[in-house]
Amino acid sequence: MTNTTLNWASRLMILLASLAAPSVLAAQTGRVTGTVTDTATGQPIISATVSVVGKSNLAAITGADGHYSISGIPEGIVQLSARRIGYAPAERQAVAKAGETQVVHFALRAQAAQLAAVVSVGYGSQNKRDVTGAVSAVTTDALERSPIVSIDQLLQGTSPGVDVTTASSEPGGALTVRIRGTSSITGSAEPLYVIDGFPIENDIDGQSVGNGGRSRTTPANPLASLNPSDIESISILKDASSTAIYGARGANGVVIITTKQGRGTKPAVSIEYSTGSSRVAKTYKVLNAAQYMDYANTYGQGSSQPYLPFPDSTKARILAAGINTDWQDLIFRGGGNRNLQMTVRGATTAASPTRYSLSGGYFTQDGIVVGSGITRMSARVNLTQAIGSRVEIAGSVNASQAKSKSTPTAGQQNSNAGAVSAAIQYVPVLPVRRADGTYSLINPDLNVYSSLLDAPQTPNPVSMTNDVTDSLSDTRILANVYGQVELLDNLRFKVSLGTDYGTRGRNTYYPRTTMRGASSAGDAIRAGSTSSSWLNENILTYTRKFGTAHDLALLGGFTRQRTDFDGNSMENTNFVSDITGYNSIGTGTQAGGPNISSRRSTQTLQSYLARVNYAFRERYFVTGTVRRDGSSRFAANKKYGNFPSVAVAWRASSEPWLQKRDFIDDLKFRVTYGVVGNPSIRPYQSLARLGTNGYSFAGTAVAGYYPTSVANDDLSWESTAQTDLGVDFAFLGRFNFTADYYKKKTTNLLLQVSLPFETGFQSALANRGSVQNAGIELGLEATILKPANRNAPSWRANLNFARNTNKVLDLGGPQQIFADLLTTDYNLPGTLIQVGQPIGVFYGFRSSGVIRDSTAAAAITWKNFSNSTFKPGDMRVEDIDGDGVITLADRTVIGNPIPKFTVGLTNTVSYRGVELTALLQGVYGNKILNINRIRTESSPRVNVSVERYLNAWSLTNPGGTFPRIGENPNQVGTNNFTSNLLEDGSYLRLRALTVSFVLPEALAMRTPLAGARVYLTGNNLFTSTKYVGFDPDVSSQSVGTTNRGIDIGAYPLSRSITMGLNLNF
Amino acid sequence: MKNLFKTVALAAVVLGVSSGCQKDFLTEVPQDFVSPGIFYKNAGDATAAVNAVYGSFINLNSPLSSSQYMGRNLWMVLEYPTEVVTSRLSATNERSLVDNYHTQFNSAHAYLQGIWEAAYAGINRANSAIEQVPNVPMDAARRDQLVAEAKYLRALHYYYLAGLFGGVPLKLTATSSITGDNLTRSTAAETWTQIEKDLTDAAAVLPAAWGGSDFGRATKGAALTLLGKVYLQSAGTTGTAGDWKKGLDALQTVMTLGYALDPSYATLFNGTNERSKEIIFSLQNVRVDGSGGTLTQWFVPVTSPALYALSQQNQFQAERAFYDSYNANDVRKDGTWMTSFTNAGKLVTWAWTSGIQSATSYGSTGPVPRKYVDLAGASTNGEEPDVVITRYADVLLSAAEASNEVSGPTASAYDYVNQVRARAKVPNLTAGLSQGAFRDSVYLERRYELALEAHGLFDNRRNWTWSKARIEASMSNISTANKSPFTSATTKFDARPLGDKWKLYPIPLRACQLNPLLVQNAGWEDGVCK
C-alpha cells in the first residue's frame, strides 16, 4: 500500500467515524446483560451483536456462551436490538436505571436470506409492506407446491400483468414473457432476468446459434439452465419506479431470481424424485382413407376439368390392402420425464459461521413427438462465510448442461415442412414405406391416382421424426463472488464479481432417406456459439433510523459489465454416405465448397446508480432512483442515458384516525413515475459498415469494399415513461388485495427508416415512433378458510387479472409497416404494424360465412375476386373499399393476437396433511392465425379435416359452415388469407392439479426423516377453448414482437401426470 | 450528507473497480466486419474501394440485384422503346408498358425505381472512394489514377441517369449520416456539365492502356469516348449547340489512341474476343456465379426441352419490320440475331410462320438475340461475355453525327460511316445526302450496328422527330407482323401519337416520396412529385 492510499484510508476511517458516532453522553448510566439463543435449538448464539437502537456506540458482541453485557446506558427506556447473520433480528425494551443491571434475553429465529415478507427490489431487498412500486413476488411456498420443469412456467398465471406465451411446447422450448404488454417493435420485449444479482443479457438473436438453413431457430432461454428446485424466490418488478434501478434495461420489466442459501444450524438434506408420463393433449381430426377418397372424388367431379382419382375399383383395392395410415399417430408417442434433485443446506455454528447450500439435479424428458427430448444436469454451490460480525464473503457457482434432441416440427408447408405440419397433411391412402422400403412421398406417390391432385413437395413425416438428427447442447456456468463489509453500523459496502459463461452447439444432419438429404446427398450443419459475460458491482448502502419517525436508506453504486460473443456455422452437402452424419463435415463435397461463417461481438455497460428510500412514521414513503447507464451499443453522441424515477406512497392504515378500524390490516396507496430504457440494439449497429464486393480484371477476381450501411451517431435506447397508480389493501386478516393502473409510453422506438435513394442506402436504424401500453392489474390473495389449528381444514386462493391495451402511436413517418412474410409456401403477408392499432394485427380479407342460397347470393351487390359472381356455397367476402368488386384493396385489419385480458386462479385446500392445489389460467379475446388449415380445408392434394368434409355446404346441406367442396374457405386469390383462418384464441386451462400428502410430524419423528411428502400432479388436464389446433397458447413463428399468435405445425401441447416424493432429513 | 458522498467516491476509488478505468470502455471496435474508420489505410484498401465501384454495375447493394440495373432493366428501358426489339408480353405487363409507350406507364414503374436506386448506390460507392483515396498513403501516381477511375465510373452512372431522367440531384459527397439534407434536382445542363468535369478530370490522368492484370480498368480512351457521347447527348437533348464541336474533338482524339474496327463483328459479344482493339470499355464478366453476365436467360427462347439449363425467359425479340430491313449481306444481322440453334442434339430453326412454340409458356415469335448469350454460363449471373459499354464503331458513328452537325456531311463524316459499313459488308452510304438525310442515315446505321447494346433510347432522344415517326410506324405494323399470342392488338399501342413527355422518363414515385424536394418531369405529374 502506498502512502497515498494509506492516507486515503485513514481519512476514510475518520470520515466514517465522524458520521456514525454522535457525542457520548456522560450522564448517569446503567447496564444490561443477557444471553442470545437459537429459538429452535435453545443453543447459545455466538457473535451476535446486541446494541441500543439509535446509539451504535452502545453495543456488545456475544461470546461462546451467547452472553453479552452493555454498560454506560443512560437512564430511561431504551430499545435493544440483537442481530446475527442468518437470523431474524429481534428487538426488546429495557429500562436502564443508574447503577443497576437489567437482564434481557433474546431468542433469535434462523432464517433464509429473505423471508416471504421481504422482496428483492434490485440491489437490495425491502419489506413487502414498505415497497412503493409495483412488485409481484412468487414465494418459496408457491415454488414448492408442484413440480416445475422450468421457471417461466411458474410465472404463467401466477402474477397479474405477466403474460407468458409458449413459442414451442417441445422439451426445452422457448417461451415469451411480456410484462405489461409489448413496448417495442424491432427490439426485444422480453424482461431482464437477474439471477442472484447477475443481470443476464437476454439478446435473443445474439445468443442463437446460426440456423444455417434449418427451418427453425431456438433462441436461448436464459432460464432454461436454472434448476427450479434451487430457487428461493422470484420478484417481478413491473413499474418504472422499481425497474429504474436497472435503467436502460428496465423497460420490459425485471424478473429477479434468488437461489437458496444455507440456513439453520444442522445440515438439512432434501431429496426429491418425480416421474411422469405425457401424451399429446389434442390432435387434428382428419379424414381416414375411405373418407379421404370420397372427398377427393367429390372434389374431382366438381372441378373445372372433372376427374375421379379414386374410382370404385381403386378405392376397393386400397381399402382391401388395409392402407389407412394415421400419420399423427405415427409421429406422436407417450412421453415421459424423470427428475431427481438433492439439496443440502445448513450452517456451521462457529464464531464466524459458514452457511452453505449444495444441490444437484438431473432431469430428463422424452417429448411426445418421436425423436425429441431433453436431459439437463445441474449443480449449484452457494457458500457464505462470515468473518466476525461485520464481514461476509460469499460465492456461488451454478453449472448446468442441457442436451436436447429435436425433431423439426414447425415451419413451412412445402419441402421444409416439419413433422407435425407434414403429418397433418399426409394422406391416409399412402403407406409409410413403399414396397421397396423407401419412404413414401405424397408427391409423386399421390399423383399416381391423378396428376390433377398435384400434391405438394412435403417430406414424409416419419422420415423427419426417425431419420433427422438435430441435437442442441447448452452449457452454462454462472458464478458470482462477493464481499460485504459493514464499515460501520449503518454503512455497508459490497463488491462483487461475477461471470456468466455459456456455450451452445447445434448439429443437424439430414440423411438421404429424408427429402432434403436426398436432394443434396446428405446435408450436415454444425453451429456453435460462446458467450461470456463479466460483471463487477460496487454498492454502498447506508440505512439509518433517525429517532422514531424517520427511516432513511441510501444506496449508491458503480457497475461494469462486458459480454463477448463468438459464433460460427458451417454447412456441407454431398457426402459419400450417411455413415458419418455431421461428424465428418469436411468430407462433404458441396459444389463451390461448404458454407462457412463466423462472427464475434463485444458489448459493454458502465453504470452509476443511486436510490433513496425515506419513510416518515411508517406512513409516508418516498423512493427516488436514478441510474446512469453507458452502453457500448449506444452511438457516439448518446453513450450515456439517465433513467430517473420517483415513487410516493401513503399508508393510510397507519394514520391514527384509521388505526382503530379493526377490519383494515393494511391500506397503502402508491403513485410512481419513471423513465426506463430498452437497449435492444445489436452491437455495432450505430457504426457504418463496409461490405465486400467482387469484380474481376483480366479474368481474375479482385476484392472490393464499399459502404453498405451508414452510421447513426444518435442511435440510442428506446425510452419508456411509465406512470403507475396502485393500492394495497389487506383486510379482515384474510384478504390481500392489490390493484394497479399503469400507462406506459415508449418513444424513440428502434425502427428501420427509409432513406432517400440519393444517399445510396435504402434504410437505416433510427429512433423514431412510439407505442403505448395501458392497463390494470388486480390481485387477490384470500384465506377463505383459516385453520384454527394444524389439523383443521384450510382454503387459500390467489386470483389475478390483468388487462392491457396496446396502441402504436407513431411510426416516424409511414402509417404502416408489414412484418416479414410468413415463411410458408404461400408467402402470406406478415402481421401489420399500423398507427392507431395494436402491434402486429392480422391483415387480410374479411369473410363472413357461407352463402346459403341464391337469395343470399343475389343480395350481394359486389363481384367476387377476379370479377366472378358470388354463388350459393361460396364464402362471402366483404367489399371493404366499396368499389363493387373484391380486390387486394379489400384487405383490412381482421384480428388482434393480443389477449384482451388474462386471468389466473390458484386454489389450495388442505386438511390433515392432505393438500389439493389447482392452478387455472386463461386468456381472453385474442385471435390465432391457424395456417395449418389453409391446406387441410381445401383440395385433396393433402388430407382434409373431418369437419370441412362433413360440414361442407351442398344443395342437400345448405346450412354447412364450410363452403362447397372445391372452394377454399381461407384464401382469396393467392398469398392472402381471409378472416376465416383466424380463430378465437381464448382459453381457460387447468394448468396444474396437485394432490399431496405430508407425513404427519408425529410419524416423522419416529423415523430419521424431518419430513416427507408425496404428490401426484396432472398438468394441462383440461382446456376449455374453441381453438381447433393443438394448443391455443401458441406462437410458432416468433418469439419477437411481430408475427405472434401464428400456428404452423407448432409442437403440440402435452397432457402429463407426474408422481413425486420429497424427503427431508 | 456531503461526507457520505465523499465516502462513496472514496470507496469507489480505494476499494473498487478491479476492471480498471479504461477511457474507451464503451467504444465499439468492430471485430467481424470492416468499418470506414479502420479502412482506407493503404494501397490495397484504396484499390479495393475503387474495385467496388466497378462492381456497382454488376454486383449491387443488397437487396438490389443486378437485374434491376445493367443486368436487365436498364437494357429493357433503353432497348424496348426502339422499333428494333420487343418484349412480347401481355399489354399490361411491366415490360410491355415500356415496350409500347403504354398510357399505363407511370412514375411508379418498378424499373425506373430500381435504376435510380442502383445508380445512386453506385454513385455513393464512387463518392466514398473519391473522398477517401486521396488521404491514403501510397504511390501518388497510382492514387490519382484510382481517383480518376472512380470519377469515370461516377460519370457513367450519371450518364445513364441524365439520359433517362434529365437533370438529377447531384450527389457528389459520400453519405455519412442519416440526417443529410435532401437534394434538389439540378438542371440537365448542370448535370451534363458535372459529368463532363468528371470525365475531363479522368481523361487527364488515366493511362491509354493497362498492363496485364489490370486489363478492364477505365482508360483515357474510355473517358474520352464517354465524354464525346456526353457532349452529343447534351447537344442533342438540351440544345447546347457548342457541344457538338466539343464532342467531335473528344471523339477525334480517341481515334488517335490506336483503336480499330474488329474484322469479326459477332465475336465482340460472345466472350471469345474480349480484348479486341475495338472494345474501349466493357464490364468485366467471368463464368463464376455472381461475377458474370446475366442477360442470357432474358434473351434465349423458351423451348422444351430447355435450351438453357438455368432459366429461359425470351423477353427480347426482333421486330419483324426491322429484322426484314437488313441488307442481305449485312454480317450484323446474323451477329445480332439467332434464328437456329442446336437443342438436345437437334437443330431447331425458327421461322416467322411457325415460330418456336412451347407447350407450357410463350414461345418465340421473332428472332432472338445472339449478342451476350452464353449457353454455358456458370449460373444466371455467371456468364462469360463482357458487356460492351463503348466500342470504336460507336466512336466512328458518333463522330460522323457530330461532324455532320458542326459542318454538314463532309468527306470525313462519310468516311466514319463507311468504315463501319465496310466492316459489315454493306455498300457505302449513298453519296451527296443533305445534312438532314445524312443525320437520319447515321441514326439508322446506329440501329443496325449497335442494336441490343443499350444505346437505342438515348439515340431516340437526340433525334426525336425521326425516332418518333419510326416508332409510330412500327407500332401500326407490328400487331400483324409478329404479335405475341398473349397480346391483344387492340389494347397494345394506345400511346400513339407519342407525346413529347416521352423525351424523358418520370422521376420514380418512391424517390419523390422519400425526397419531397424532387420535381417531376413535364407530363408525368403524379401528385407526389411536385
Side-chain angles (χ1 to χ4, degrees), chain A residues 8-9 12 15-16 18-19 491 493 495 497 536 538 540 542 552 554 556 558 560-562 564 598-602 604-606 630-634 639-640 682-691 693-700 702-708 710-712 753-762 764-766 768, chain B residues 1 3-4 6-8 10-11 14-22 25-36 39-40 48-49 51-52 54-56 58-64 113 116-117 120-121 124-125 128 169 171 175-179 182-183 212-217 275 282-286 291 510-511 514-515 518:
Chain A
W8 276 110
L12 173 67
L15 272 171
L16 297 177
S18 63
L19 199 77
L491 187 68
F493 181 70
V495 55
L497 192 63
N536 166 241
N538 308 281
L540 199 59
Y542 178 76
L552 181 68
L554 302 174
F558 172 70
R560 275 184 160 192
Q561 189 165 0
R562 173 186 166 116
D564 291 282
S598 70
R599 56 205 168 114
R600 176 174 170 86
S601 66
T602 299
T604 53
L605 185 74
Q606 174 165 292
S631 169
S632 63
R633 290 184 280 169
F634 302 156
K639 278 294 178 204
Y640 279 96
R682 271 172 280 143
Y684 313 109
Q685 296 246 98
S686 71
L687 300 182
R689 281 171 187 254
L690 297 181
N693 189 283
Y695 196 68
S696 52
F697 292 114
T700 304
V702 294
Y705 272 96
Y706 71 103
T708 53
V710 62
N712 179 354
V753 297
S754 296
L755 300 179
F757 293 143
E758 296 82 64
T759 59
F761 299 105
Q762 289 212 322
L765 192 63
R768 307 272 164 84
Chain B
M1 197 58 65
N3 285 346
L4 180 75
K6 275 188 185 168
T7 309
V8 172
L10 239 138
V14 177
L15 295 162
V17 206
S18 49
S19 46
C21 281
Q22 311 97 306
F25 185 67
L26 300 180
T27 306
E28 285 191 314
V29 181
Q31 297 169 97
D32 61 3
F33 68 97
V34 177
S35 78
F39 196 68
Y40 307 113
N51 291 348
Y54 285 94
S56 69
I58 64 168
N59 250 318
L60 274 60
N61 296 41
S62 172
L64 293 171
Q113 179 185 324
W116 184 279
E117 271 192 85
Y120 276 107
N124 192 54
R125 294 193 198 184
S128 301
K171 180 84 166 73
T175 301
S176 61
S177 146
I178 67 163
T179 52
N182 290 331
L183 294 169
S213 63
D214 281 323
F215 177 83
R217 292 186 179 278
R275 300 202 184 192
S282 58
L283 297 180
Q284 300 295 299
N285 285 329
V286 286
S291 301
R510 182 77 183 135
L514 295 171
N515 177 1
L518 297 181

Side-chain angles (χ1 to χ4, degrees), chain B residues 425-438:
Chain B
K425 306 271 192 294
V426 294
N428 282 349
L429 186 60
T430 313
L433 293 174
S434 68
Q435 188 185 35
F438 185 87

Side-chain angles (χ1 to χ4, degrees), chain A residues 449-482:
Chain A
Y449 299 103
S450 166
S451 64
L452 293 169
L453 286 170
D454 186 26
Q457 297 278 351
T458 304
N460 183 302
V462 179
S463 76
M464 301 298 283
T465 55
N466 292 12
D467 294 2
V468 176
T469 320
D470 187 3
S471 54
L472 182 68
S473 151
D474 266 295
T475 305
R476 194 156 195 164
I477 296 169
L478 185 61
N480 215 345
V481 58
Y482 73 83

Side-chain angles (χ1 to χ4, degrees), chain A residues 628-649:
Chain A
R628 179 170 170 77
D629 268 328
S631 169
S632 63
R633 290 184 280 169
F634 302 156
N637 296 341
K638 295 278 173 75
K639 278 294 178 204
Y640 279 96
N642 295 325
F643 301 93
S645 80
V646 64
V648 294

Side-chain angles (χ1 to χ4, degrees), chain B residues 296-375:
Chain B
T296 302
Q297 66 164 314
W298 312 105
F299 283 3
V300 297
V302 177
T303 57
S304 184
L307 167 65
Y308 177 57
L310 300 162
S311 182
Q312 44 196 18
Q313 303 276 341
N314 192 204
Q315 293 181 3
F316 287 80
Q317 296 178 36
E319 301 261 24
R320 179 163 191 174
F322 179 78
Y323 183 80
D324 288 346
S325 72
Y326 276 93
N327 181 300
N329 297 324
D330 197 331
V331 300
R332 298 173 297 195
K333 187 174 188 177
D334 193 46
T336 306
W337 307 105
M338 188 157 63
T339 53
S340 68
F341 49 84
T342 305
N343 188 14
K346 271 173 60 182
L347 183 71
V348 180
T349 305
W350 168 89
W352 285 113
T353 46
S354 60
I356 298 163
Q357 295 288 344
S358 148
T360 54
S361 188
Y362 43 87
S364 172
T365 56
V368 296
R370 188 187 292 282
K371 283 181 178 175
Y372 302 124
V373 166
D374 179 8
L375 295 176

